[in-house]
Amino acid sequence: RQELEEIPVAYDALAVVVHPVQYPVKQLNPPQLEDIFRGKITNWKQVGGDDRKIVVYSRETSSGTYEFFKEATEKQELHEQQPFHARHRSHHTIRQPTRGAIGYVGLAYVSPRIKTLAVSYDDKHFAAPTLENAINKTYPIVRPLYYYYNKKSAGLVDPLLQFVLSPAGQEIIKKSGYIPINEE
């Protein structure tokens, strides 16, 4: 039997993204996000946008990103109730949404091809998904990233972990679009 060790090495913010020409919608509050991903809000006009059907892009249910986003945006069954979900294996396909689409990607995958939406903890203070907002804790959808290893291999793994957690390793993490563990 193997005993696994779990070590946090970085954080990732999940950005809520839409097509870059996504009408006047610039932010969504937690109840709106939940209702969109549960299929209760199905048209952008219900949240201040144009009269266009919302197409929800989601990761596959086996994805850790899927599970975290599901837990972060609501506490109930969400994605399973949405009949027109487009399931994607990776962030790359969600980064090219069609008009009317909404999805989520890791902060490192945000590009000019998509528009990010500001999200709120409390429905009053909205924050855009940026590295700075994730570090200062104003952006609410942030998750830890872990390195897992067999405890029996600790001696072999320790040099790698020491580097990843060092200032040089954490700088590489930051330049890659992730949040360093020491800035949490």
Side-chain angles (χ1 to χ4, degrees):
R1 180 183 152 148
Q2 295 183 8
E3 242 186 288
L4 296 180
E5 185 71 31
E6 173 185 89
I7 303 291
V9 295
Y11 291 90
D12 185 21
L14 296 184
V16 177
V17 297
V18 294
H19 190 276
V21 190
Q22 189 66 49
Y23 333 115
V25 177
K26 292 181 176 38
Q27 63 189 31
L28 291 171
N29 63 36
Q32 289 171 322
L33 272 175
E34 179 179 352
D35 287 350
I36 287 170
F37 281 88
R38 290 186 74 200
K40 291 182 177 180
I41 293 176
T42 59
N43 193 299
W44 283 106
K45 71 180 176 184
Q46 293 172 271
V47 291
D50 292 346
D51 185 8
R52 183 180 298 273
K53 178 182 173 182
I54 295 175
V55 177
V56 177
Y57 281 16
S58 180
R59 296 291 305 275
E60 291 184 326
T61 57
S62 61
S63 161
T65 304
Y66 165 89
E67 280 300 320
F68 179 78
F69 187 81
K70 179 177 160 181
E71 290 172 15
T73 55
E74 75 295 312
K75 304 299 180 212
Q76 303 173 30
E77 301 291 317
L78 124 108
H79 299 284
E80 291 79 8
Q81 297 179 12
Q82 184 72 304
F84 48 87
H85 259 216
R87 302 270 184 217
H88 296 276
R89 289 185 186 267
S90 74
H91 292 284
H92 299 289
T93 53
I94 295 174
R95 289 173 54 197
Q96 299 174 0
T98 58
R99 288 181 67 100
I102 186 170
Y104 50 91
V105 298
L107 190 57
Y109 295 96
V110 170
S111 78
R113 293 186 192 149
I114 53 179
K115 175 182 170 183
T116 61
L117 299 182
V119 180
S120 158
Y121 275 112
D122 58 11
D123 199 20
K124 294 176 188 163
H125 305 95
F126 288 83
T130 65
L131 189 61
E132 294 75 27
N133 288 343
I135 289 170
N136 70 26
K137 296 182 174 39
T138 57
Y139 186 74
I141 310 174
V142 177
R143 66 177 174 160
L145 299 175
Y146 298 98
Y147 186 84
Y148 292 91
Y149 63 93
N150 185 334
K151 281 188 175 184
K152 290 179 184 175
S153 301
L156 297 171
V157 173
D158 191 55
L160 173 64
L161 286 175
Q162 292 301 317
F163 174 74
V164 169
L165 296 172
S166 74
Q170 292 291 293
E171 186 61 28
I172 292 169
I173 284 171
K174 190 172 186 175
K175 285 180 180 176
S176 299
Y178 296 97
I179 302 126
I181 199 83
N182 56 9
E183 294 193 37
E184 182 251 339

